[in-house]
Amino acid sequence: MKALVAAHRKPKQHPLTGPAARTAATLALASAATATLFEGSGHAEPKLTPAQVKAKVDQLYHDAEVTTEAYDGTKEKADATERSLSELRDEAARKTQQLNTARNALGSLAAAQYRSGSVAPELQLILSSDPKRYLDDAALAERAGDRTATAVSGVRKQLAELDQLHTTADGKLAELRGQQSTLQKQKSDIQSKITSAEALLAQLTAPERAAYEESDAAPADTRASRSADTPRAPIAAPTDRAAAAVSFAYSALGKPYVWGATGPSSFDCSGLTQAAWRSAGVQLPRTTYTQINAGSRVPRSQLAPGDLVFFYSGISHVGIYIGGGQMIHAPHPGAPVRVAPIDQMPFAGAVRPA
């Protein structure tokens, strides 16, 4: 019996020793190293060169500026909608007061009839808690006397106008909420692009960052002849207004770029040009793609100080020309208002504000 039990027991396993153990350990280490190697190659990203960082950052800033101009346009529409809504509410309040005055007049008429011993049914209805239900009855005025009919007709008209105002205001409110939702999405998109650009720039060493800033200020083929940091002597503007706009632009040098800003302490590109010409008494639209239609077109060969110069096919950037092939503009986040050559970006056109 003991022999049968012993025969069914599992054989005892012994740990590997000697050469077999060393071979197993070697294979295990090799397997782990291979797994680590493949894991690393699947997740590690090659370090970008400074040139690649610049290209990506420039594209991100450009994309952010395109969205910024869209944001500025949406913000302008939202502000106009909000003003319109406020005006509608004010008008509704005035008409409500007029309606109350008219109803009070009907109340006086009803009181007079009550003293005489009878109150016309139509007045009982119109002075009830729900007069509109009865005012909608076209036969009401026919049942009333001339004086009462005129008063009732006036109240009915005022109620209809008030209803229309409320309907219009509700539509404006829905429009405003949609614009505010769009603004929030555009704002998030802009901030995401700027954050990505800043993260890329953080990868650069101090010398690489300095080189980026220099190349961002002026292209290599124009730095020798045109300093982007030191303006030339101002060239006379063709009109007093243009001179005032250029003077304002010079006074803004060094102020930070902030998307959506129109001054006085910070600007985005179209915010700067709008503020410059506003100082000269000319009100420009808010965005690049509307400012390009705010004046007479000017060929590049006939540019004069004060002209607005636009860039990229989507008209997403603008500066104010100061002469000598240079402009003052608000470039992008991290780059203050500065002087730069107009051949720094793809030229799209120019406008001379009236």
Side-chain angles (χ1 to χ4, degrees):
M1 187 69 177
K2 290 182 180 180
L4 288 175
V5 173
H8 286 84
R9 287 178 182 169
K10 292 183 179 180
K12 186 176 180 181
Q13 296 181 350
H14 299 280
L16 293 175
T17 58
R22 287 193 296 271
T23 300
T26 301
L27 289 172
L29 289 172
S31 176
T34 302
T36 302
L37 175 63
F38 279 106
E39 183 180 358
S41 64
H43 293 83
E45 294 183 2
K47 179 177 173 60
L48 298 176
T49 66
Q52 290 172 325
V53 169
K54 174 174 168 45
K56 284 181 174 288
V57 168
D58 288 350
Q59 185 62 53
L60 284 165
Y61 279 148
H62 175 66
D63 292 346
E65 189 164 48
V66 171
T67 309
T68 293
E69 290 304 308
Y71 172 92
D72 290 343
T74 306
K75 182 69 165 59
E76 187 175 41
K77 291 177 183 177
D79 289 345
T81 301
E82 194 165 11
R83 288 193 298 271
S84 178
L85 179 60
S86 178
E87 290 169 1
L88 285 168
R89 286 170 171 167
D90 288 344
E91 186 177 357
R94 288 194 298 272
K95 287 194 175 295
T96 298
Q97 182 60 43
Q98 292 170 2
L99 177 61
N100 290 337
T101 300
R103 289 191 69 193
N104 288 339
L106 288 177
S108 298
L109 182 59
Q113 291 185 4
Y114 178 78
R115 286 193 296 270
S116 67
S118 65
V119 178
E122 60 273 10
L123 288 179
Q124 295 179 26
L125 298 177
I126 199 169
L127 296 172
S128 70
S129 61
D130 187 13
K132 185 177 183 303
R133 178 165 62 90
Y134 302 102
L135 287 172
D136 287 337
D137 184 355
L140 177 62
E142 296 176 2
R143 295 200 307 269
D146 290 342
R147 181 182 176 189
T148 305
T150 300
V152 168
S153 178
V155 171
R156 179 162 49 195
K157 181 181 177 181
Q158 290 173 354
L159 273 170
E161 291 174 349
L162 192 57
D163 282 346
Q164 182 57 49
L165 278 173
H166 286 156
T167 299
T168 304
D170 288 344
K172 284 293 181 183
L173 180 59
E175 182 181 352
L176 178 60
R177 286 173 176 168
Q179 290 166 340
Q180 289 172 335
S181 176
T182 299
L183 282 172
Q184 190 58 42
K185 292 175 183 176
Q186 290 170 333
K187 180 179 180 180
S188 177
D189 188 25
I190 293 166
Q191 291 176 328
S192 175
K193 287 179 170 62
I194 292 174
T195 299
S196 297
E198 290 172 345
L200 284 168
L201 289 172
Q203 297 177 13
L204 299 178
T205 64
E208 289 170 345
R209 183 65 180 265
Y212 170 81
E213 296 294 343
E214 184 180 3
S215 65
D216 185 45
D221 60 350
T222 59
R223 281 200 303 272
S225 58
R226 301 187 185 107
S227 169
D229 297 320
T230 306
R232 292 180 173 183
I235 297 173
T239 66
D240 290 343
R241 285 185 170 181
V246 170
S247 177
F248 182 95
Y250 270 98
S251 72
L253 288 174
K255 292 186 177 180
Y257 177 104
V258 174
W259 60 269
T262 58
S265 57
S266 59
F267 304 89
D268 63 18
C269 70
S270 56
L272 173 63
T273 52
Q274 184 187 52
W277 272 96
R278 184 170 58 237
S279 74
V282 177
Q283 184 60 49
L284 295 178
R286 178 64 183 92
T287 64
T288 53
Y289 49 84
T290 52
Q291 287 183 5
I292 198 169
N293 297 315
S296 56
R297 294 296 179 97
V298 181
R300 183 167 177 166
S301 60
Q302 297 178 23
L303 287 173
D307 291 347
L308 304 180
V309 283
F310 298 87
F311 304 91
Y312 300 103
S313 59
I315 317 299
S316 59
H317 191 75
V318 62
I320 184 164
Y321 190 69
I322 59 173
Q326 295 181 300
M327 66 177 171
I328 293 176
H329 73 142
H332 56 71
V337 175
R338 61 169 59 142
V339 176
I342 63 171
D343 54 5
Q344 186 179 60
M345 292 171 283
F347 187 81
V351 162
R352 185 164 297 159

